[in-house]
Amino acid sequence: MVSQLPLGCSFDLLGPAKCVTALEADHAGSRLVAGGNDYMCHLYDFGGLKSDGRSFRSFEVTEGHPVVAVRIAPRTCLHFDILHVQPTDPPVTLNSQTSWSPTGDAFLVVTSYSQAKLYNRDGKELGELPKGDMYIRDLKNTKGHVTNCTGGCWHPTDKTAALTCSEDGTLRVWDVTEVQQKTVIKPQLARPGRVSVTGCSYSADGRLIAAGLADGTLQLWDVRGQIVRAAHQPSSDITCVRFSLNSQNMVSRGGDGTLKLWDLRSFKAPVRSADGLPCNHGTTQCCYGPGEKYILTGTSAEAKDRNGSLVVLHADSLDVLAEIAVDGSVVGVQWHPGINQIFAGCGGRTGGCVRTFYDPKLSTKGAVVAASRAPRTINTDFMQLAAPTIYNPNALPMYRDESMPGRPVGKKRRLELEAEKRKYQPAGSSMAKGVGTGGRLGATGGTLLTAHVLAQQGGLANFKEEDARAAFLQHADKEDVFSRFTAAYEKTQGPTVFAAEEEDEEDAGE
């Protein structure tokens, strides 16, 4: 029986930086969307996927909020009258956090934020569900969730309806075309208060809704209002709920390390229970395999030396048929019936991936084709750049002592360089030679610059007695050294005219 499981080979889809908590492939098995604790959603297209396993698009759904899960609704689209749940009827829910539409043209992403988002198959955002008013006490009167969401799924047959659940203790049915809620469902509690709804799911025909609560209560609703309490240990969450295709059986995954099988025709106690399945993630999933002969789930890493594993159980007896260890924990799982491949979202705080299990003889398309393709190569023909030139100052001749090659600049060469610099210094600049401190020049003998300049010019009295006009006119008869630059104006300029000398007011008064 183990030989019929597609576990012979594995192929990793890379991209997530942390544990992958949610994943789902579309109905044809051509695309897969995965999300996790790195707040990102990664899209993989098996038609163009190479052996390097890289996603063709990644985007952050809601900043700072991890993706809770991803899941595709069953492909079976039965034609019958859907039984719509009214606000007075008991609620219906199922654990799902990211879900494709029944037609596969869009998917629903639910993060730990209070607003879920809708995307098309290429990752373009189509809309965001509204948020409710957290100050309204009666949650039936709010237009959306008021606290973090924990799950969501698409209606299996109605592509305009979706279901979400939240820590505010409600489940809400949405009209995705109008982006508004249609129905608010509140689970029945043993005592007044608010208990988080940790998982929700539709049945394959859309007539039933199952919900798991944080107090360990598993509730199921239809028109008859059947409810079962304490399905798991009261102290543990119910992380996932899944219906069988015939809507007669249901499997639930609990935070107490158990997986239980239920018969909906006698919904008073579980038919079978499997223990010893560690579960440290609040979104650990489980699902049925093709033909509903097997049940698939994952376990969490309990210590550094004990990793999680992918577990395959028999659908009737819940006996463990196969267990494959992986790095970190296994949270999101899916067994795609069309291509017969198993997708396991695994990882931890340091990294994550979507590990795909397949068998070359039993599986088709998907990872079977992608694993045989050569990885992408970067074409660098158009990126040829000139070899960079590296300058080492001590390697240049001007910075080296010629008498001792390979050595830094010596004293002889340093003196020559200083002499060359002095050639270009203006005449009379010797007064600025040296290093000054505190506003005093180094060559002024410790005096201020202003006093030094006055002393060089003969003192302050010389400035007062000097006739500025006479000093300027003494250069009138000298050769104009700049005439070569003004030769073009010699014929056009008139004679130079200076103002006549005026007597001082003091002389005129005398």
Side-chain angles (χ1 to χ4, degrees):
M1 184 177 295
V2 180
S3 60
Q4 301 177 0
L5 303 177
L7 300 175
C9 303
S10 64
F11 177 71
D12 290 345
L13 304 180
L14 305 178
K18 293 184 179 181
C19 181
V20 178
T21 58
L23 57 89
E24 190 71 2
D26 62 1
H27 308 300
S30 59
R31 288 198 175 183
L32 182 139
V33 56
N37 292 335
D38 59 351
Y39 320 136
M40 304 289 291
C41 256
H42 306 271
L43 292 176
Y44 302 89
D45 186 359
F46 290 107
L49 189 64
K50 306 295 183 180
S51 59
D52 54 6
R54 297 180 181 178
S55 60
F56 75 91
R57 184 170 185 183
S58 300
F59 57 91
E60 187 175 13
V61 183
T62 304
E63 183 179 0
H65 295 272
V67 178
V68 180
V70 291
R71 190 182 67 86
I72 292 182
R75 185 172 177 78
T76 56
C77 293
L78 306 178
H79 297 280
F80 52 83
D81 295 333
I82 302 297
L83 182 63
H84 295 282
V85 181
Q86 301 299 326
T88 56
D89 296 334
V92 182
T93 36
L94 177 134
N95 182 342
S96 54
Q97 291 73 17
T98 312
S99 177
W100 291 84
S101 67
T103 57
D105 58 347
F107 58 91
L108 174 69
V109 180
V110 180
T111 64
S112 61
Y113 190 55
S114 58
Q115 296 175 268
K117 292 185 178 181
L118 304 171
Y119 295 87
N120 63 5
R121 62 181 292 105
D122 294 326
K124 181 180 179 181
E125 183 176 342
L126 300 177
E128 184 178 27
L129 301 183
K131 182 179 181 179
D133 189 350
M134 61 183 301
Y135 297 102
I136 298 179
R137 185 174 181 84
D138 189 358
L139 296 179
K140 287 187 176 182
N141 296 326
T142 62
K143 61 179 181 180
H145 292 296
V146 298
T147 56
N148 299 344
C149 291
T150 57
C153 64
W154 222 289
H155 194 282
T157 57
D158 186 3
K159 67 178 182 179
T160 64
L163 177 69
T164 59
C165 59
S166 170
E167 292 180 357
D168 60 7
T170 64
L171 302 107
R172 298 175 188 268
V173 181
W174 301 88
D175 185 350
V176 296
T177 57
E178 301 294 336
V179 194
Q180 62 182 6
Q181 68 181 15
K182 299 192 299 184
T183 304
V184 181
I185 303 171
K186 296 181 66 175
Q188 297 183 9
L189 304 177
R191 62 184 63 180
R194 180 183 298 182
V195 179
S196 301
V197 181
T198 56
C200 63
S201 178
Y202 275 113
S203 62
D205 55 8
R207 293 178 178 270
L208 299 175
I209 296 179
L213 277 66
D215 61 354
T217 301
L218 179 65
Q219 299 190 16
L220 176 67
W221 294 271
D222 64 358
V223 293
R224 294 173 294 179
Q226 296 185 13
I227 298 178
V228 170
R229 298 184 181 277
H232 287 265
Q233 293 182 3
S235 59
S236 66
D237 299 347
I238 296 179
T239 64
C240 183
V241 182
R242 291 290 185 269
F243 285 94
S244 62
L245 290 178
N246 58 11
S247 299
Q248 295 182 358
N249 298 322
M250 185 179 67
V251 60
S252 62
R253 184 75 163 94
D256 55 355
T258 63
L259 186 143
K260 297 183 179 181
L261 179 65
W262 303 85
D263 187 350
L264 303 185
R265 294 166 294 186
S266 179
F267 200 54
K268 295 182 179 180
V271 179
R272 297 283 188 275
S273 178
D275 301 327
L277 303 174
C279 178
N280 298 330
H281 292 267
T283 57
T284 302
Q285 299 181 6
C286 61
C287 67
Y288 278 97
E292 299 184 352
K293 296 181 180 179
Y294 310 103
I295 296 176
L296 191 68
T297 189
T299 61
S300 303
E302 295 183 305
K304 294 182 179 180
D305 56 346
R306 183 176 179 182
N307 291 324
S309 60
L310 177 70
V311 183
V312 182
L313 304 95
H314 194 278
D316 295 331
S317 61
L318 295 187
D319 295 333
V320 177
L321 302 179
E323 186 172 0
I324 301 177
V326 299
D327 296 334
S329 303
V330 177
V331 183
V333 294
Q334 183 194 10
W335 193 334
H336 198 286
I339 58 178
N340 195 21
Q341 296 179 20
I342 296 176
F343 303 104
C346 53
R349 295 182 179 180
T350 58
C353 68
V354 179
R355 183 154 297 176
T356 306
F357 296 93
Y358 66 94
D359 189 285
K361 297 181 180 179
L362 303 177
S363 306
T364 59
K365 302 179 181 180
V368 179
V369 180
S372 61
R373 295 193 183 104
R376 295 180 177 89
T377 58
I378 301 177
N379 186 8
T380 59
D381 294 341
F382 62 95
M383 300 174 59
Q384 295 295 336
L385 302 177
T389 303
I390 301 175
Y391 295 97
N392 185 1
N394 293 332
L396 299 177
M398 62 182 299
Y399 293 107
R400 291 183 176 275
D401 191 348
E402 297 178 358
S403 62
M404 303 181 66
R407 293 291 185 89
V409 179
K411 181 178 180 180
K412 179 181 178 180
R413 181 57 180 167
R414 186 165 54 252
L415 294 176
E416 293 177 356
L417 294 175
E418 292 179 358
E420 292 180 2
K421 291 181 180 179
R422 285 196 295 270
K423 293 180 182 179
Y424 302 99
Q425 290 181 355
S429 62
S430 60
M431 64 179 182
K433 185 178 180 180
V435 179
T437 58
R440 303 176 182 272
L441 294 180
T444 61
T447 61
L448 294 176
L449 175 61
T450 305
H452 175 73
V453 173
L454 293 176
Q456 295 293 328
Q457 299 295 331
L460 183 61
N462 293 342
F463 283 95
K464 293 183 179 180
E465 297 176 357
E466 184 179 3
D467 187 357
R469 182 175 181 276
F472 179 74
L473 290 177
Q474 68 181 355
H475 302 283
D477 298 333
K478 295 182 179 180
E479 182 183 357
D480 188 2
V481 295
F482 299 100
S483 59
R484 57 178 178 172
F485 301 107
T486 61
Y489 302 98
E490 291 180 354
K491 298 180 180 180
T492 60
Q493 294 294 329
T496 304
V497 178
F498 296 99
E501 184 177 358
E502 298 179 359
E503 295 182 359
D504 295 338
E505 294 181 358
E506 296 178 356
D507 297 340
E510 294 177 357

